[in-house]
């Protein structure tokens, strides 16, 4: 781009001046011949003025395409009268007159002006800049003196591309240039544009403001459309980078073609239609937006919210009632509004009859009143553009009516006379004042106290150097008439604030720019402040805040999953895995729940895991408790029978103490099962194993005492040769020894590695099984191993003694009891290992109850049956003698073997 502009610059110089060859310069006086003039329209008032301030304004919106058949370069003509640009031009003239009338600013200096229409085009801007520097009225160029007065600086040149083009030329000579509407960030680069300053914030500030507005309303999926120039392209590049940094997304990015193309415009329209983005940032000037606006109206595109830049938010060209269905609700930023005293009257003081050579005024009158001024060569409403809706015709509207000169400006409703929204217009005013205040400070310099080194010298009007004025421009601070403080920093930028405006219809059916907020920016602070209770109009079906997202935010319980090759705002929502939750909308990752927590069904909250154990209040636990208590009651009932009938032969024939100990041990084992029910605690984990082990040890050691007696009786009945005696003290010693050994093992178990409560979460994640960690497996096996050893001895001795004479069968009862015991516990092992949770505990309790009930039933129920229901058989003869052959059905249950020994040759004394 820089190379192209350089070629253009050199071409313009070649077009303007042609020097004589070297030989002729040596022979005769050096002269220059002007080959042609630029076709520039504007106003010049330089006579009798000390200094001149230049100005460039887009009074026309475009240049007429060049005739390709003409080979020689020709200065282009302009078309498309721009009332807004004409008002800006008139405002500069009014401001200079106001300054000249003031006595506090430049009291001995008057300011003239040289103002050109740059037709909103770079070629015309370059032509105007060259004329400022060299002039085109003389045979010899006079730098900064083409009008006869010294050129102090330039106001302009309109859009950013125009200011960049002009500044590349004016900056070579460090000539001050003050912009009033150019916002491109590149103009803040002082290395490239050393003499450019402006009265409007740069694009970085405006882009930051737009980004804050988008964040404020929660729009994450935004489309962008920009003009094909430095203003639009640089602005959108900055904006896109800011969006990415904030994890927001650009749905699409389109460019309005600088040279109208139906294909390119159709592509922009199709993109707007197809995109799901309902919020679009439109970053272009009002003059560039004309074709796009007409295309949107033609294709009836509604339901979009447009974010406007300061260059078109208050444009009367676009803010028309017929466009409201498409652009109503537009929200954007505007420079502060101001009232300019006397401007309205000055604008109304215009008429073509005052100056027949004033072509701009004549064209204004013709365009405003739709007539042709008599005897004027000024063309009327000629438009050489291709129709924006694709018809391809040239639009030439020539009026058949002549202007009378009696037309009333008061009846007009156009941008030129609208002084209700003086925003950019006020910037023009401040740009002129900035040059005036800088010149005033320069004129008040005292020699010896000046800013220039060496010697603290001063500069003087009117022959100062441009760089000397730039010193004052870069340190400029002043207060406007409406109280606004203007301060220019080292980059030539200003601080201040934006008004946030919203397009709404007023009672008259016209579009009103309603202020709904403010954006303040300083060197250290940026703040967006929306008005409280501000009524914002949204152009949506529901009139509610527009919703613009690529994908709806992931709800709690889900996480965002990126889509390959798509922006981060487009994603899929995946449910969180088990045990993970997302509590806030839009989380990228799910959070794992703590050890004691689990995700709920919606996966949006961690809840305490369900603690599971065999409880008393559930059916299974209640049933087992009932069986345990019922068994204990049965044992106590047997004990009661034994106590009541302790003097009967059947009871007294047994070892009564051992019987009572067996009954007590069965009560312990039956009730110990209740320790397995309910919420486990460390004490219950230790108590239940100890009680169970000691209960079985006591029971089995007492049974072993009985079976040992029976075994010795069996040996006597077989050998009949020796006297064997098993005294009661020996049996008690055997029981005591077994129990003491078990107690010792249990004590060591509790000391070294006792059972503890354990949270088992291996089997199911949603529940915590409260179990007992048995601690040392070795101690546990040793403890119950002793019980197994005692049970095995009981079974072997009773199995051998089952062959005693028919009237004695207690050995058979014990044998069956031990068989039940072994069957229950052998079946328990695989059942225990194959179950989980509370059912595992239930299996263990069932084994305890079943084995206890088995022993109770086999050892005591037959005797209780005879004692209670067959008392006639509970006699000494039946218990002590052989049952007659005629009464073989009577089965004795005595543990006494005395009658058997009377029939043997050897007598054995068994003292019970």
């Amino acid at each position: 781009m820089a190379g192209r502009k350089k070629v253009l610059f050199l071409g313009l110089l070649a077009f303007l001046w042609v020097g004589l060859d070297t030989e002729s310069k040596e022979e005769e006086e050096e002269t220059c011949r002007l080959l042609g003039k630029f076709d520039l329209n504007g106003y010049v008032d330089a006579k009798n003025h000390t200094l001149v301030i230049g100005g460039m304004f887009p009074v026309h919106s475009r240049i007429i395409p060049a005739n390709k058949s003409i080979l020689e370069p020709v200065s282009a003509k302009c078309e498309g009268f721009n009332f807004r640009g004409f008002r800006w031009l008139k405002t500069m003239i009014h401001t200079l007159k106001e300054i000249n009338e003031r006595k506090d600013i430049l009291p001995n200096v008057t300011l003239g002006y040289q103002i050109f229409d740059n037709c909103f085009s770079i070629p015309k801007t370059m032509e105007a800049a060259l004329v400022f520097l060299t002039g085109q009225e003389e045979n010899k160029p006079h730098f900064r003196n083409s009008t006869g007065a010294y050129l102090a600086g330039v106001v302009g040149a309109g859009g950013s591309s125009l200011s960049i083009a002009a500044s590349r030329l004016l900056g070579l000579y460090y000539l001050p240039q003050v912009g009033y509407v150019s916002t491109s960030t590149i103009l803040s680069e002082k290395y490239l544009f050393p003499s450019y300053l402006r009265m409007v914030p740069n694009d970085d500030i405006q882009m930051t403001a737009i980004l804050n507005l988008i964040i404020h309303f929660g729009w994450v999926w935004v489309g962008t459309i920009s003009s094909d120039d430095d203003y639009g392209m640089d602005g959108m590049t900055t904006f896109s980078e800011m969006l990415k940094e904030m994890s927001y997304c650009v749905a699409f990015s389109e460019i309005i073609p600088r040279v109208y193309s139906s294909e390119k415009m159709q592509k922009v329209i199709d993109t707007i239609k197809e995109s799901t983005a309902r919020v679009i940032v439109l970053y272009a000037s009002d003059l560039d937006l004309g074709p796009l606006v007409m295309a949107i109206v033609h294709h009836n595109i509604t339901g979009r919210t447009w974010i406007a830049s300061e260059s078109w938010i208050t444009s009367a060209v676009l803010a028309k009632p017929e466009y409201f269905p498409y652009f109503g609700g537009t929200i954007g930023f505007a420079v502060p509004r101001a009232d300019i005293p006397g401007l309205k009257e000055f604008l109304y003081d215009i008429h073509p009859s005052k100056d027949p050579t004033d072509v701009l005024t004549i064209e204004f009158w013709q365009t405003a009143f739709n007539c042709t001024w008599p005897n004027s060569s000024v063309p009327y409403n000629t438009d050489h553009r291709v129709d924006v809706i694709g018809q391809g015709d040239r639009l030439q509207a020539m009026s058949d009516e002549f202007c009378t000169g009696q037309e009333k400006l008061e009846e007009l409703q156009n941008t030129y006379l609208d002084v209700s929204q003086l925003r950019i217009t006020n910037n023009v005013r401040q740009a002129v004042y900035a040059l005036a205040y800088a010149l005033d400070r320069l004129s008040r310099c005292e020699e010896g106290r000046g800013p220039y080194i060496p010697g603290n010298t001063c500069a003087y009007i009117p022959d100062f150097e441009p760089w000397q004025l730039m010193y004052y421009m870069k340190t400029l601070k002043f207060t406007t008439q409406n109280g606004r403080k203007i301060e220019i920093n080292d980059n030539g930028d200003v601080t201040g604030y934006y008004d946030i405006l919203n397009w709404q219809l007023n009672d008259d059916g016209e579009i009103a720019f309603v202020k709904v907020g403010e954006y303040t920016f300083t060197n250290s602070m940026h703040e967006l402040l929306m008005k409280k209770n501000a009524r914002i109009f949204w152009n949506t079906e529901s009139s509610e805040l527009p919703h613009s997202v690529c994908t709806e935010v992931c709800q709690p319980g889900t996480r965002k999953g990126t889509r390959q090759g798509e922006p981060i705002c487009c994603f899929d929502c995946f449910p969180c895995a088990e045990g993970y939750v997302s509590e806030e909308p839009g989380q990228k990752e799910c959070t794992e729940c703590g050890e004691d927590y689990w995700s709920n069904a919606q996966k949006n909250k961690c809840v305490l895991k369900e603690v599971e154990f065999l409880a008393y209040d559930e059916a299974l636990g209640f049933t087992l408790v009932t069986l345990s208590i019922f068994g204990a009651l049965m044992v106590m009932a047997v004990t009661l029978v034994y106590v009541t009938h302790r003097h009967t032969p059947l009871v007294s024939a047994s070892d009564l103490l051992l019987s009572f100990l067996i009954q007590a041990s069965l009560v312990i084992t039956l009730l110990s099962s209740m320790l397995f029910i309910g919420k486990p605690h460390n004490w219950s984990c230790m108590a239940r194993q100890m009680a169970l082990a000691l209960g079985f040890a006591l029971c089995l050691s007492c049974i072993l005492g009985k079976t040992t007696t029976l075994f010795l009786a069996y040996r006597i009945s077989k050998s009949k040769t020796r006297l064997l005696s098993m005294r009661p003290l020996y049996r008690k010693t055997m029981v005591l020894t077994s129990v003491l050994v078990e107690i010792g093992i249990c004590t060591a178990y509790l000391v070294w590695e006792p059972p503890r409560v354990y949270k088992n979460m291996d089997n199911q994640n949603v529940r915590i099984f409260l179990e007992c960690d048995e601690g040392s497996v070795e101690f546990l096996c040793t403890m119950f191993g002793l019980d197994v050893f005692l049970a095995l001895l009981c079974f072997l001795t009773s199995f051998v003694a089952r062959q005693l004479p028919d009237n004695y069968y207690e050995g058979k009862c014990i044998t069956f009891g031990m068989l039940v015991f072994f069957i229950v516990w052998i079946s328990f092992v695989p059942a225990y290992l194959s179950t989980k949770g509370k059912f595992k505990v239930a299996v263990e309790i069932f084994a305890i109850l079943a084995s206890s009930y088995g022993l109770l039933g086999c050892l005591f129920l037959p005797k209780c049956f005879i004692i209670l229901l067959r008392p006639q058989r509970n006699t000494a003869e039946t218990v002590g003698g052989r049952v007659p052959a005629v009464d073989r059905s009577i089965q004795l249950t005595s543990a006494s073997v005395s009658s058997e020994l009377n029939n043997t040759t050897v007598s054995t004394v068994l003292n019970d």
Side-chain angles (χ1 to χ4, degrees):
M1 179 179 291
R4 186 166 65 248
K5 290 181 178 178
K6 184 176 181 181
V7 172
L8 177 62
F9 169 64
L10 294 177
L12 289 170
L13 286 177
F15 166 72
L16 188 62
W17 299 107
V18 177
L20 299 177
D21 57 18
T22 306
E23 294 181 358
S24 61
K25 287 181 180 179
E26 293 177 355
E27 295 177 354
E28 55 185 273
E29 184 181 355
E30 184 177 347
T31 61
C32 292
R33 182 169 58 90
L34 190 63
L35 293 181
K37 291 185 178 181
F38 294 132
D39 188 2
L40 293 172
N41 292 318
Y43 298 97
V44 178
D45 182 13
K47 294 181 180 180
N48 302 321
H49 292 293
T50 311
L51 297 173
V52 168
I53 294 180
M56 289 182 280
F57 298 94
V59 180
H60 289 85
S61 59
R62 56 194 169 272
I63 58 176
I64 300 175
N67 190 345
K68 297 182 180 180
S69 62
I70 300 177
L71 299 179
E72 295 182 2
V74 178
S75 181
K77 296 184 179 298
C78 302
E79 63 180 358
F81 195 84
N82 179 18
F83 290 106
R84 196 184 189 195
F86 192 52
R87 186 181 67 201
W88 295 345
L89 182 151
K90 287 288 188 178
T91 301
M92 178 176 175
I93 297 175
H94 172 265
T95 304
L96 287 172
K97 289 184 176 181
E98 180 182 289
I99 293 173
N100 288 334
E101 293 174 358
R102 294 180 60 172
K103 301 302 182 181
D104 57 332
I105 301 177
L106 298 172
N108 299 319
V109 176
T110 59
L111 300 176
Y113 54 82
Q114 185 178 20
I115 305 174
F116 294 115
D117 171 22
N118 60 17
C119 303
F120 199 65
S121 66
I122 292 178
K124 284 294 179 185
T125 301
M126 295 297 289
E127 290 177 7
L130 284 170
V131 171
F132 285 139
L133 293 175
T134 63
Q136 58 177 355
E137 301 297 334
E138 312 85 8
N139 289 337
K140 293 183 180 181
H142 297 280
F143 174 62
R144 296 176 61 204
N145 199 18
S146 60
T147 61
Y150 204 69
L151 181 66
V154 176
V155 174
S160 294
S161 295
L162 310 182
S163 294
I164 289 173
S167 186
R168 290 190 185 279
L169 185 57
L170 300 176
L172 296 175
Y173 302 96
Y174 218 60
L175 186 68
Q177 178 185 355
V178 186
Y180 52 87
V181 73
S182 303
T183 61
S184 177
T185 306
I186 194 175
L187 287 167
S188 298
E189 297 290 340
K190 295 298 102 179
Y191 179 79
L192 298 175
F193 308 99
S195 63
Y196 185 83
L197 310 100
R198 52 186 155 194
M199 294 293 107
V200 62
N202 64 37
D203 280 339
D204 281 349
I205 296 175
Q206 187 169 192
M207 289 297 102
T208 304
I210 293 176
L211 180 63
N212 281 314
L213 185 72
I214 290 173
I215 295 173
H216 175 78
F217 289 114
W219 299 320
V220 298
W221 186 237
V222 181
T224 63
I225 301 176
S226 62
S227 56
D228 188 13
D229 54 18
D230 295 300
Y231 170 70
M233 301 295 287
D234 292 344
M236 281 301 98
T237 300
T238 302
F239 179 67
S240 298
E241 292 175 353
M242 289 181 176
L243 277 181
K244 291 179 180 178
E245 291 178 0
M246 297 299 297
S247 298
Y248 284 53
C249 299
V250 177
F252 61 85
S253 184
E254 292 294 333
I255 299 174
I256 303 173
R258 190 70 173 177
V259 178
Y260 182 82
S261 168
S262 59
E263 294 181 359
K264 293 180 179 179
M265 187 61 68
Q266 187 61 44
K267 177 178 178 293
V268 175
I269 295 299
D270 292 341
T271 301
I272 297 173
K273 285 182 176 180
E274 296 170 1
S275 176
T276 58
R278 290 297 177 266
V279 176
I280 303 174
V281 178
L282 196 48
Y283 208 73
S285 68
D286 56 344
L287 299 179
D288 285 325
L289 287 178
L292 176 65
V293 170
M294 295 178 65
I296 289 174
V297 173
H298 176 71
H299 290 88
N300 194 29
I301 300 176
T302 59
R304 306 301 192 276
T305 296
W306 304 91
I307 299 180
S309 63
E310 41 72 34
S311 60
W312 70 272
I313 183 66
T314 57
S315 173
V317 176
L318 303 180
K320 298 179 179 179
E322 58 266 29
Y323 295 156
F324 191 79
Y326 314 96
F327 289 89
T330 292
I331 190 169
F333 297 88
V335 295
R337 176 188 172 279
D339 294 322
I340 301 179
L343 178 62
K344 183 177 181 180
E345 293 76 13
F346 182 80
L347 294 178
Y348 274 89
D349 185 19
I350 182 174
H351 199 280
S353 61
K354 292 185 176 181
D355 185 0
T357 62
D358 187 354
V359 295
L360 292 181
T361 300
I362 294 174
E363 187 173 359
F364 161 76
W365 202 269
Q366 292 182 155
T367 306
F369 293 106
N370 194 22
C371 61
T372 301
W373 189 259
N375 302 322
S376 173
S377 60
V378 178
Y380 169 77
N381 264 359
T382 303
D383 195 336
H384 292 79
R385 293 180 303 163
V386 177
D387 186 5
V388 295
I389 59 175
Q391 301 300 322
D393 297 329
R394 291 182 183 272
L395 304 178
Q396 293 189 6
M398 298 296 294
S399 175
D400 295 331
E401 298 183 2
F402 285 97
C403 303
T404 64
Q406 302 300 317
E407 293 84 4
K408 296 182 179 180
L409 291 173
E410 292 80 3
E411 297 177 356
L412 286 179
Q413 290 184 353
N414 62 22
T415 310
Y416 172 75
L417 298 173
D418 183 8
V419 294
S420 63
Q421 297 290 331
L422 299 181
R423 299 177 185 274
I424 302 300
T425 304
N426 187 56
N427 281 355
V428 175
R429 172 184 170 88
Q430 303 309 331
V432 177
Y433 262 102
L435 286 169
Y437 276 115
L439 288 169
D440 183 67
R441 290 182 59 195
L442 183 146
S443 67
R444 298 177 185 275
C445 178
E446 298 181 7
E447 192 63 37
R449 297 182 179 181
Y452 313 117
I453 298 176
N456 293 330
T457 59
C458 295
Y460 300 98
I461 292 177
D463 56 351
F464 58 86
E465 294 295 328
W467 63 267
Q468 293 174 321
L469 179 60
M470 276 301 301
Y471 170 82
Y472 293 100
M473 293 293 297
K474 293 176 69 175
T475 58
L476 187 63
K477 295 180 182 179
F478 66 95
T479 302
T480 65
Q481 289 182 341
N482 58 2
R484 182 189 173 193
K485 294 183 178 180
I486 302 294
E487 181 177 351
I488 300 178
N489 61 22
D490 292 339
N491 294 326
D493 294 321
V494 295
T495 59
Y497 64 93
Y498 281 120
D499 288 338
I500 303 176
L501 305 182
N502 179 234
W503 283 18
Q504 302 180 16
L505 278 182
N506 58 21
D507 296 336
D508 299 329
E510 299 292 331
I511 293 181
F513 308 119
V514 179
K515 183 176 178 179
V516 295
E518 194 173 275
Y519 184 81
T520 304
F521 52 90
T522 62
N523 294 330
S524 60
M525 181 190 70
H526 291 253
E527 182 181 11
L528 178 72
L529 181 63
M530 303 300 293
K531 280 187 175 181
K532 292 183 178 179
N533 302 320
R535 187 180 65 86
I536 301 177
F537 174 79
W538 300 112
N539 193 18
T540 58
E541 292 182 1
S542 61
S543 297
E544 298 293 333
L545 178 71
H547 190 58
S548 186
V549 295
C550 178
T551 305
E552 293 294 337
V553 63
C554 292
Q555 296 302 310
T558 61
R559 64 173 180 84
K560 292 169 60 175
T562 57
R563 294 177 183 172
Q564 191 67 25
E566 295 190 30
I568 60 174
C569 296
C570 301
F571 48 83
D572 296 311
C573 297
F574 298 102
C576 292
E578 295 290 339
Y580 289 79
V581 297
S582 60
E583 298 181 355
E584 300 294 334
Q587 285 190 209
K588 294 182 179 179
E589 298 293 338
C590 298
T591 306
E592 186 177 7
C593 294
E595 181 181 4
D596 294 339
Y597 292 84
W598 195 249
S599 55
N600 59 0
Q602 293 77 25
K603 308 292 180 57
N604 60 2
K605 187 177 181 181
C606 288
V607 295
L608 280 171
K609 290 181 179 179
E610 181 182 349
V611 179
E612 186 173 280
F613 52 87
L614 188 58
Y616 291 103
D617 54 356
E618 58 181 301
L620 181 58
F622 180 76
T623 301
L624 295 175
V625 168
T626 302
L627 292 175
S628 177
I629 295 175
F630 179 72
L633 292 175
M634 286 185 62
V635 174
M636 287 187 284
V638 170
T639 303
L640 182 60
V641 171
Y642 265 58
V643 171
T644 305
H645 300 83
R646 64 184 180 277
H647 300 298
T648 60
L650 189 60
V651 176
S652 59
S654 301
D655 191 328
L656 194 58
L657 178 59
L658 291 181
S659 297
F660 285 153
L661 290 176
I662 292 174
Q663 293 162 13
S665 65
L666 289 176
V667 171
I668 293 174
T669 56
L670 287 167
L671 294 180
S672 68
S673 63
M674 296 178 63
L675 295 173
F676 288 81
I677 305 173
K679 185 176 181 180
H681 299 280
N682 289 334
W683 66 266
S684 63
C685 289
M686 293 184 287
R688 68 186 189 181
Q689 297 294 1
M690 303 304 107
L692 182 61
L694 291 174
F696 277 128
L698 178 60
C699 178
L700 294 173
S701 61
C702 291
I703 295 175
L704 182 60
K706 285 179 172 287
T707 57
T708 304
T709 302
L710 296 176
F711 176 75
L712 293 177
Y714 171 75
R715 296 288 297 179
I716 292 170
S717 66
K718 290 295 184 180
S719 64
K720 300 181 181 180
T721 58
R722 335 181 258 174
L723 180 63
L724 297 175
S725 177
M726 185 67 176
R727 297 181 180 276
L729 180 60
Y730 299 157
R731 293 195 294 270
K732 294 177 178 60
T733 302
M734 183 185 298
V735 172
L736 182 60
T737 302
S738 300
V739 172
L740 288 177
V741 171
E742 188 71 50
I743 291 174
I745 297 173
C746 291
T747 302
Y749 185 17
L750 294 177
V751 170
W752 291 102
E753 197 170 351
R756 290 287 186 269
V757 176
Y758 166 63
K759 295 179 181 180
N760 186 356
M761 293 177 285
D762 297 335
N763 299 323
Q764 292 190 32
N765 291 322
V766 296
R767 290 184 178 88
I768 298 176
F769 294 119
L770 278 185
E771 299 177 353
C772 288
D773 182 4
E774 304 303 344
S776 174
V777 179
E778 293 79 6
F779 275 115
L780 184 68
C781 293
T782 303
M783 185 172 62
F784 285 103
L786 179 60
D787 293 338
V788 174
F789 176 72
L790 293 175
L792 186 60
L793 290 179
C794 291
F795 175 72
L796 293 177
T797 53
S798 63
F799 180 77
V800 173
R802 77 190 187 285
Q803 297 179 359
L804 285 171
D806 293 340
N807 68 324
Y808 182 82
Y809 70 102
E810 190 169 14
K812 294 180 180 180
C813 294
I814 295 176
T815 301
F816 282 117
M818 299 314 299
L819 282 175
V820 172
F821 185 87
F822 278 113
I823 290 172
V824 168
W825 287 102
I826 291 173
S827 302
F828 158 77
V829 174
Y832 183 81
L833 296 177
S834 62
T835 54
K836 299 176 181 178
K838 61 183 179 181
F839 298 104
K840 201 171 189 178
V841 180
V843 168
E844 188 172 0
I845 296 173
F846 180 78
I848 295 170
L849 295 177
S851 59
S852 299
Y853 272 103
L855 292 175
L856 176 63
C858 293
L859 295 180
F860 296 104
L861 289 186
K863 294 183 178 181
C864 291
F865 176 78
I866 294 175
I867 294 171
L868 297 176
L869 301 179
R870 298 291 187 269
Q872 67 275 14
R873 297 179 184 177
N874 189 7
T875 61
E877 293 78 9
T878 304
V879 174
R882 183 179 294 276
V883 180
V886 295
D887 197 13
R888 298 294 292 178
S889 62
I890 301 176
Q891 295 184 354
L892 305 180
T893 61
S894 173
S896 175
V897 295
S898 58
S899 61
E900 289 291 333
L901 298 179
N902 290 333
N903 296 326
T904 60
T905 57
V906 181
S907 177
T908 302
V909 180
L910 297 175
N911 296 320
D912 282 342

